[in-house]
Amino acid sequence: MSFKAKWIKPKRDFGDICPTYVREFTFEGEFIGKATLTITAMGMYEAELNGTRIGEYVFAPGWTSPKRLQYQSYDVSHLIQEKNTLTITVGKGWLRSPLATRAESEPCLSLPSGVSAILDIGRLIETDSSWHAKESPVRFSEIYDGEVYDANITSAHLEAVEEIPAPDCDLVPQEGEEIREQDVIIPVKIIKTPKGETVIDFGQNLTGYIALNLPENTQAGHVIELSFAEVLDKEGNFYTENYRAAKSKLKYICREGRQSYKPKFTFYGFRYIRLDSFPFEAESLFHNMTASCCSGGFQHKTPISAIAIHSEMERTGFFSCSSHLVNRLYENTLWGQKGNFLDVPTDCPQRDERLGWTGDAQVFIKTAAYNYDVEKFFTKWLADLALEQQQDGQVPHVVPDTIRAGGSAAWGDAATICPWNIYLAYGNKEILERQFTSMHKWVDYITSATQDTNLWTGGTHFGDWLSIEVPVDPAVDCQKIGTRHDFIASAFYAHSVSLVVKAGKVLGRDISAYEALHVGIVNAFKKTYNKFYTQTEYVLALQFDLVDDHISTAKALADKVMADGCHLTTGFPGTPYLLHVLSENGQADLAYTLLLREEYPSWLYPVTKGATTVWERWDSIKPDGSFQTESMNSFNHYAYGAVVDWLYSVAAGIRPTEDAPGYKKVHIAPKPDTRLGWVSAKYKTRHGWVQSKWQYIEGGTIRYDIETPVEAEICVSNQKYTVGKGAYTFYERLGEGI
Ligand code: BGC
């Protein structure tokens, strides 16, 4: 379906104030037809018909490359009356908010708060100069800085609008998942900090906003001002330095009497809020709340609650085991995904960044596809990636591209790694069809950009990003420390070319040139890099099949880990594969040791420090309780949560196969370890649920319970069984096999 309607904006410049567009119309007699509203805007919009919000999509029309804009259609038949008022409020949203490194000269920043809509009620009501605009109560709203809302602005006078040219981009129907409100979280504590601040703790770091429900005795002109934070500092005071330039504030000016409010066009990454200005005695207000909790329906009576929002994705994966710390790490990763899958896979939801970092997305995609059904989510984002790719194939660091720079190894490789993993998880080769040009253009870019033949040397890369071997100060020349950048670049070059070859084979393309290129890279790599110096170097060489002898290389990696103090040192590029290359190559014991380690640096260390989401750094809070540098210290960065893929695919052993992608056949190879008494996982494939459980039972026996909806290859205790749909139980006596 195509959509083309006129665009309008207020005739007068409203400045920061978000306009509400108004169109009144009548319908005579009883409405029995179908009414559809199709709409998009330059920024974000919220539409109401006769005072009722249309749809559940928050932050529509979503966030895409500025080369295209999604539009949405809503069935509004049930809202039509005899006399109708359609209103549409438009905020800056992602398109018009200043975002990190977005140049002031970017054309999108000078766009007006335009809207384009058609209401089809048998006749068409289209945005045109007969509409009106008025000031809305949203006095200011931006992604990073928050919102100012004056509830007293209820009847601003109607003003003229004018027709404007359509933006210079394609209009496309909604392609991604809708963003929706998902969880309501009530406060767990009110805290008086040593500095005397009144702080509310929601007990969970999340992405979203708060809902206010204010009592009868609220007075007009009362002001509520809130600040948001992810953590309290060592002393227990409110800490916002890691938000950098993002103000992340909320100001609400009350009207008389009972009222409720939620921000319309902004979001926050937070666990705590500080009541900077609050016209009620917080404790007594919340005391009343407890009373109403008991009488039920507390969510709506809570004066302040937190609302978590994310793209609507079906939960498909569940994992639990005997370690409560591992379970919390798993939960933290789920929250990391919820908080950062906001139409675009973002690095973090709180500081002045919140961008679609390609590297983070490729690091996390396997985990993401276990936890939730992300096919639609990534299909949309990958279309934007392809659109934002340069002519020469260079992939930008972030998609949508607000930075206008790209070409880093392990970041640009999102172009090949993401489509391939979506194909493996869901088995639909259309994603490869749609992305194939983008995939091979990325490796063609490398071939043209490198200073070498068959290796990727030169260029500017992020390297083994946030590895503990790399200095915290970004001003230090990281090229010379830690994993060699040319090594990472060449290893990912090999991997990306191998994925182009695989995808080309699925699509029946002639990929002989890429096959030859792959052989050339592998040979050059083996010749050039015959000694590895860091864990990430071992890991990448093993994972991307760039060594001849996997078993002895994995043994050497194990020795390196031990020499490093029996802990990991990997950054973003190496971390997702570390446990895999160990457990695949005879070092499963060490993989479990690393998983279960609680001291810094490790996956569980943040959990022992009370983390409720995955941290950006291994030591975002240092062992002495102080924080890592505020210039780069997010407490909700999913990248290191990539270890959860290992929990599903190795600890529980549930994996897709390349010869029957999308779980048309399943590979189930659980790997027990005595340090975990049991593991249980299930995954909803497109063909039904796969389940894998194991537990140590009395007498040194392991019991495996496996269920598959399709043909499966089950590997337990070094035995392989090919089975059909069904439930199977195996017992393995330790040391004796099945
Ligand atoms: C982001 C990262 C990203 C990185 C690349 C950071 O500022 O938060 O997650 O991948 O930059 O350098």
Side-chain angles (χ1 to χ4, degrees), residues 347 351 353 357 360 411 462 465 572 616 632 637:
D347 55 337
R351 68 180 178 220
E353 200 150 354
W357 279 96
D360 305 41
W411 270 250
F462 294 116
W465 188 249
F572 280 24
E616 178 172 24
M632 273 271 299
H637 239 72

